[in-house]
Amino acid sequence: MSLVAGASRPAAILERGGKFAILALVLAALAIASIGFGSSAMSVGRVLLAVVGEGQRTDTVIVWSLRMPRMLMAALCGAALALAGFALQRATRNALAAPSVLGIVDGAALGVMVFLLLFSNESNALIVSILWQPLAAASGALLFALTVVLLAVRTGAPPLRVILYGVALGALAKAGVTLFMIDGPVHRASQAAVWLAGSVHQARWSDLSTLAGALALLVPLAFLLTRRMDQLELDEQSAAATGLPVRATQLMLFALATCLTAAAVSFAGAIGFVGLVAPHAARLLVGGRAFGQAVAAALLGAAMVTAADLVVRLAFAPLEVPAGAVTAVIGAPYFLFILLRAGRVHA
Amino acid sequence: MPDSEKPDRTEIELRRAALGYAGKRVFESLDLSIAAGRLTALCGPNGCGKSTALRAMRATLPAEAGDVLLRGRPISAFPARALAREVAMLTQSPSAPEEMTVEHLVSLGRYAHRRGFSADARADREAVAGALESTNLAHLADRAIGTLSGGQLQRVWIAMVLAQAAPVILLDEPTNHLDIAHALEVLSLVRRLGTEESKTVVVVLHDLNLAARFADEIIFFSGGRVAGSGPVDEVFRRELIEEVFGIECIVRREEASGRPYCIPLAAVPTRRDRLGHG
Amino acid sequence: MPRYALSLGLIVLIALLATASLHLGIRYTPTGEVWRALTQGGDDQAALIVNTLRLPRTLIALVVGGALGLCGLLLQTATRNPLAEPGLLGINAGAGFAVVLLIVFTDVYSLSVIALVACIGALLCAALVFGLALSAGGMSSPAHLLLAGVTIAALFASGIQIVIVADERTMEELLFWLSGGFADRDLRLLALAAPASLVLALLSWQFSPALDALMTDDATAQSLGVPVLRTRFLVLVLAALLAGVSVAVAGPVVFIGLAAPHLARLSGEQNHLVLIPLSVLTGSALALGADIAARFVIYPSEAPVGVLLAVIGVPTLIYLLQRKRLGVSA
């Protein structure tokens, strides 16, 4: 409205647009770097040529069969985890909420372990399609998320305590995972150990298409809910007074976050702290309006995991340090930083 | 000025409403009605159920038995957003992130009017601008709410409620934590809503004299029932106040405005205190 | 006197558990053989199993369990925070990280140096966590303290992961140590840890009256004559040292420090003169019980004792969270 700070408006829009453009550029640069670096490095030109299929044959094969799926998997998982964290932070109205903190990631991991255990035959081969694995992850995640929600609703717990329930249940799920790893088939266990730490180095196109399909459903849903998320910035009573069905919205957001987490975790394992850091950094960058923040968070999340995967390959190769370890080393101090300055205004 | 005009239309009515929170009844059977276009103050001692009654009128606290009616229709029959377009409420200690801008917070009041992605439609922008204008906040629109003073912040919250453009406005202790100048400023604003925009306003007030000064009607609660209700001149009586609050007091009339006011003298020990259970 | 009956009962329980721990395993060893192995030694299989496997883990569980139980009690009282626990607060992880750094980056294998480094790591980490919590929400905000701790633990866990992957030489050995447990640990470390724990426990006992006073608010404790800040600082140092010692012996073991003091308090006892020994005994009993159960839940394999402790600890944590008020000012 022109009456209200009208003069600054176009400039502000331009500034925000610029920030999104910069984010997208950073992500693109990371993607190119991620494709370019590896056991044999390629120049930017060669990468681009190979991507469009005009480069040398070997380049094209390496890029399309190995590095592209890995890069895309990192980016998509990062975006999914970031959106999941964003939805949770809005649902609980707490900047400290994230899928890894709320026990959802551990729940998904437990779901996958149980799945591997139930459907493996004597020689450790799966007897059902691997495509069912995301479903198992989602069931585990949903089960634990639901338990956290039920505990919270039953006791009418304030947001901070909801997170502590998540921490507690996460510990339980972790214990279960450990137990299955020791008792399960050895081959599966070592595979699971790498996967649990959060890594994208085994990405395949078939996994990628499943993940992309799930995200094609979930991401639009997330953006449809952004207006409701804006209302949840108010305290619950005020939000309800403006006409928002608060409980229903919170449940929807929880379910959305759980499905997004399960999708990412079932392919890339437990990459921690992305869902925590990306939405919060996005807020600092583009402000608190849900729509813009969601876009920025998804871009940041994608960039974060792509960068972590790049660091792992550059700094530790040929060792397979999981990307999740790198995101944790960045994310944990950031979490403490948020913890130190969490504050809300009361009238 | 407020008395004898046309016979009042009833905006909100509670009939034999049982209200309370998990395991604790506040009202067994509450009957009261709020007249349309008037400013009604809810008064009473701590814990008498003022806020409970207010929450029942906005259906954020459903009645366990009995009826709550908005213009004759059960309030529970309204869908959430439709109800929000009819009744706006400012809760007792609302909160929002401190870096949120004033304008953004006020625009959240438009939630019930928006559809899908139609970002900031004209009517919304005008309502927000109007709310900022009438609360005298236009110059602060881009400020973060964490940087405002207590009085300014309270005006922002009221602006959000105004942006909701509902004919009925409920305010739970809007003068809480405000010094007397800010309290007067806020209540004059609330008073203006009643007279200029013919809104129905219900406000929980702690301060009896502020209630007598600004309200058209007062409802006194005491011990889980309505102890008295009606136009200020009829209910603002010494005997009633003494009974409701358990005090001794004098009620006088201020000459310029003709409004009554109360000078509290002493607390009268209740029977429970005298028996030594306090 | 019920309080003596309770302590006596616990001691009898621990004796029974210890006896069971010597008898039970993949194969049951009859009492006669256990007795012969303990008194005469010998080279046959039964004697070797009892003397080199079961006796050490029984003793270690006793000492470490007791130390952790006491550590939890000290932390909970000193911070007035019912959720305080060396595992959840990240103190164990800090000690673990310090030891991993030592082993990976130096050639030092002296046991006393390892124990010392674990204690330093625990102290530094405790200082970090309490410092953070203090500036975030005050010591008496249980949630902030716990969140700071859990995050620090995650941070150190990732640090350990990176350092270990980078150095394959020590990986297997360290991974085993880091999994936390009482089996197959170095008994020589216990020779160091047992007297140290005993001294620390006696020192803590000295603080009993001050700890009782600390259960009120700071101002009241001050007016009762307790030098609040100094006492709290010293008690936290004692707690961190206890955690460091137990990590050096058994690796990071979680949840005993949380559950043991709360179980001890179920007796209705509030006096630290009694609560301290009760927490020690309860911690020992929990550790022994979990260690025995770990041998059987996925028989014939052995489960990590941390899994069993999580099964006890998580419900405790949830129960504590469900209570309306956490500590003084939740």
Side-chain angles (χ1 to χ4, degrees):
Chain A
M1 188 68 199
S2 57
L3 276 175
V4 187
S8 70
R9 191 49 46 81
I13 289 173
L14 213 64
E15 197 188 318
R16 277 183 58 185
K19 282 175 179 164
F20 286 117
I22 291 173
L23 271 181
L25 276 178
V26 168
L27 181 58
L30 279 170
I32 291 173
S34 172
I35 295 175
F37 287 109
S39 46
S40 66
M42 298 178 197
S43 69
V44 176
R46 271 170 71 193
V47 168
L48 291 177
L49 280 178
V51 168
V52 296
E54 305 269 313
Q56 296 166 6
R57 241 188 95 67
T58 48
D59 279 4
T60 313
V61 169
I62 289 179
V63 166
W64 276 94
S65 64
L66 294 175
R67 296 190 185 166
M68 276 277 269
R70 179 170 185 164
M71 182 276 290
L72 285 176
M73 181 63 87
L76 286 185
C77 286
L81 287 171
L83 281 177
F86 175 63
L88 284 177
Q89 290 178 8
R90 289 300 175 109
T92 59
R93 299 187 302 107
N94 190 321
L96 301 173
S100 50
V101 182
L102 280 178
I104 298 176
V105 168
D106 292 312
L110 187 61
V112 170
M113 289 304 288
V114 171
F115 168 77
L116 291 179
L117 208 68
L118 285 183
F119 297 104
S120 291
N121 60 15
E122 294 298 311
S123 53
N124 289 327
L126 269 186
I127 51 175
V128 294
S129 163
I130 188 78
L131 287 177
W132 292 103
Q133 181 172 314
L135 202 67
S139 327
L142 272 173
L143 185 71
F144 274 81
L146 204 66
T147 316
V148 172
V149 169
L150 284 181
L151 275 172
V153 169
R154 207 173 69 80
T155 55
L160 200 59
R161 210 168 304 171
V162 176
I163 293 175
L164 297 182
Y165 284 128
V167 170
L169 286 169
L172 201 60
K174 235 177 243 147
V177 169
T178 317
L179 205 58
F180 283 126
M181 269 175 71
I182 288 179
D183 200 31
V186 180
H187 166 67
R188 290 264 167 227
S190 60
Q191 201 180 321
V194 173
W195 170 80
L196 279 176
S199 167
V200 290
H201 77 275
Q202 282 170 325
R204 285 171 310 214
W205 280 107
S206 60
D207 294 346
L208 209 54
S209 56
T210 316
L211 177 59
L215 292 189
L217 270 177
L218 295 171
V219 172
L221 201 62
F223 281 96
L224 274 176
L225 286 171
T226 47
R227 173 144 291 157
R228 286 169 170 240
M229 294 189 206
D230 270 332
Q231 297 308 115
L232 274 179
E233 293 268 89
L234 303 169
D235 62 294
E236 288 185 15
Q237 274 201 51
S238 306
T242 61
L244 183 79
V246 175
R247 288 277 167 262
T249 303
Q250 283 175 322
L251 277 180
M252 269 191 273
L253 289 175
F254 252 101
L256 175 73
T258 307
C259 292
L260 280 167
T261 309
V265 169
S266 72
F267 292 112
I271 298 183
F273 290 99
V274 177
L276 185 91
V277 173
H280 195 268
R283 187 184 202 112
L284 291 184
L285 213 60
V286 300
R289 304 248 178 175
F291 195 92
Q293 198 191 344
V295 174
L299 289 174
L300 273 171
M304 211 177 138
V305 178
T306 313
D309 185 47
L310 200 59
V311 168
V312 164
R313 275 187 285 159
L314 289 182
F316 299 106
L319 299 167
E320 282 296 349
V321 173
V326 176
T327 56
V329 168
I330 305 164
Y334 194 92
F335 180 86
L336 296 172
F337 159 75
I338 305 173
L339 190 65
L340 285 181
R341 28 164 302 171
R344 296 175 71 81
V345 170
H346 297 266
Chain B
M1 64 187 177
D3 307 279
S4 63
E5 281 165 29
K6 62 195 176 252
D8 288 326
R9 190 162 57 83
T10 299
E11 189 89 47
I12 298 177
E13 192 176 7
L14 273 67
R15 284 193 199 148
R16 290 185 298 282
L19 304 172
Y21 308 90
K24 188 173 162 266
R25 273 283 168 83
V26 181
F27 295 106
E28 287 299 338
S29 171
L30 181 63
D31 290 277
L32 62 82
S33 60
I34 304 291
R38 316 269 289 202
L39 199 168
T40 307
L42 308 186
C43 298
N46 290 337
C48 68
K50 295 167 295 205
S51 299
T52 308
L54 199 72
R55 291 187 59 191
M57 295 178 203
R58 182 57 188 74
T60 56
L61 182 76
E64 290 163 25
D67 299 309
V68 181
L69 306 173
L70 173 63
R71 275 176 239 122
R73 254 180 88 192
I75 204 161
S76 53
F78 285 83
R81 284 154 65 110
L83 185 58
R85 287 191 292 268
E86 298 295 337
V87 188
M89 177 162 90
L90 180 60
T91 56
Q92 204 175 95
S93 36
S95 76
E98 42 181 83
E99 69 275 10
M100 187 180 261
T101 64
V102 168
E103 194 195 356
H104 187 187
L105 178 58
V106 174
S107 74
L108 295 182
R110 297 299 298 168
Y111 176 75
H113 296 269
R114 289 178 167 176
R115 288 241 148 261
F117 280 106
S118 60
D120 294 6
R122 228 189 110 127
D124 292 333
R125 275 182 284 138
E126 277 169 10
V128 170
L132 288 172
E133 206 64 53
S134 59
T135 48
N136 198 14
L137 285 167
H139 61 293
L140 296 175
D142 287 332
R143 283 269 291 276
I145 61 172
T147 63
L148 301 181
S149 72
Q152 288 171 326
L153 189 58
Q154 193 62 3
R155 264 159 45 211
V156 175
W157 285 107
I158 290 176
M160 186 194 85
V161 167
L162 287 184
Q164 205 165 327
V168 182
I169 294 181
L170 313 177
L171 304 165
D172 198 348
E173 303 219 15
T175 57
N176 223 357
H177 309 308
L178 295 184
D179 60 39
I180 188 70
H182 285 121
L184 284 172
E185 182 189 325
V186 163
L187 285 174
S188 320
L189 171 64
V190 171
R191 176 71 259 176
R192 236 177 37 235
L193 297 177
T195 45
E196 289 173 16
E197 308 190 27
S198 63
K199 305 249 189 208
T200 305
V201 183
V202 183
V203 52
V204 171
L205 275 181
H206 226 79
D207 188 313
L208 276 182
N209 288 329
L210 286 179
R213 164 87 179 73
F214 287 98
D216 299 322
E217 320 238 340
I218 293 185
I219 299 178
F220 281 115
F221 292 99
S222 170
R225 63 185 186 87
V226 174
S229 73
V232 173
D233 283 335
E234 286 175 26
V235 291
F236 204 87
R237 300 190 320 266
R238 186 178 63 85
E239 314 83 69
L240 190 54
I241 295 173
E242 290 190 337
E243 178 208 322
V244 166
F245 289 91
I247 57 169
E248 285 171 16
C249 68
I250 304 170
V251 171
R252 298 260 168 79
R253 199 167 286 274
E254 197 263 316
E255 290 185 6
S257 66
R259 293 278 179 160
Y261 64 93
C262 153
I263 301 170
L265 297 175
V268 177
T270 63
R271 180 207 293 249
R272 221 168 51 129
D273 289 336
R274 278 199 300 270
L275 291 176
H277 292 293
Chain C
M1 284 295 242
R3 76 170 49 157
Y4 296 122
L6 193 67
S7 305
L8 209 66
L10 268 172
I11 291 172
V12 171
L13 176 68
I14 289 173
L16 283 175
L17 283 170
T19 316
S21 172
L22 291 175
H23 284 72
L24 302 173
I26 293 188
R27 213 173 303 141
Y28 171 76
T29 313
T31 310
E33 287 187 42
V34 172
W35 183 249
R36 186 173 48 78
L38 286 179
T39 50
Q40 300 163 20
D43 289 335
D44 60 308
Q45 201 192 9
L48 278 178
I49 288 179
V50 170
N51 280 338
T52 61
L53 297 179
R54 293 191 191 156
L55 183 62
R57 72 190 290 178
T58 305
L59 291 177
I60 286 174
L62 269 174
V63 171
V64 171
L68 287 173
L70 175 56
C71 173
L73 177 71
L74 296 180
L75 287 174
Q76 287 167 18
T77 304
T79 61
R80 285 195 200 99
N81 181 341
L83 304 178
E85 199 259 355
L88 290 177
L89 290 188
I91 298 176
N92 284 350
F97 187 58
V99 172
V100 167
L101 285 183
L102 174 81
I103 290 179
V104 169
F105 290 112
T106 69
D107 292 328
V108 179
Y109 272 98
S110 150
L111 290 173
S112 39
V113 174
I114 289 182
L116 187 69
V117 166
C119 287
I120 294 173
L123 278 175
L124 288 179
C125 188
L128 181 64
V129 172
F130 289 121
L132 278 171
L134 209 56
S135 36
M139 193 71 92
S140 55
S141 163
H144 280 101
L145 187 63
L146 188 59
L147 277 173
V150 168
T151 311
I152 297 249
L155 180 63
F156 282 129
S158 307
I160 290 174
Q161 214 167 22
I162 290 175
V163 173
I164 282 187
V165 174
D167 184 357
E168 285 179 78
R169 179 171 53 96
T170 48
M171 181 165 167
E172 225 164 285
E173 192 184 328
L174 278 177
L175 273 181
F176 171 76
W177 174 73
L178 283 169
S179 67
F182 311 118
D184 301 320
R185 304 287 165 173
D186 199 323
L187 201 55
R188 284 172 299 163
L189 267 171
L190 191 66
L192 232 65
S197 303
L198 189 65
V199 171
L200 290 171
L202 288 176
L203 282 175
S204 317
W205 218 10
Q206 290 289 308
F207 279 103
S208 292
L211 286 171
D212 287 339
L214 270 184
M215 288 167 69
T216 64
D217 61 301
D218 278 3
T220 310
Q222 197 91 50
S223 67
L224 288 172
V226 178
V228 172
L229 287 181
R230 207 186 68 201
T231 308
R232 179 172 288 140
F233 176 76
L234 289 176
V235 169
L236 289 179
V237 168
L238 284 177
L241 289 176
L242 279 166
V245 167
S246 44
V247 169
V249 179
V253 175
V254 287
F255 285 122
I256 290 185
L258 179 73
H262 287 291
L263 288 175
R265 281 194 204 100
L266 281 185
S267 65
E269 198 56 64
Q270 308 241 313
N271 183 347
H272 280 77
L273 214 53
V274 185
L275 264 185
I276 287 178
L278 275 187
S279 297
V280 171
L281 291 176
T282 314
S284 296
L286 274 180
L288 270 176
D291 188 51
I292 295 173
R295 301 172 205 179
F296 293 102
V297 279
I298 48 172
Y299 186 88
S301 317
E302 192 165 325
V305 76
V307 171
L308 275 303
L309 289 171
V311 171
I312 306 167
V314 170
T316 311
L317 185 54
I318 289 180
Y319 163 75
L320 292 173
L321 288 171
Q322 293 223 349
R323 293 195 315 193
K324 277 254 162 61
R325 283 154 50 82
L326 287 173
V328 182
S329 52

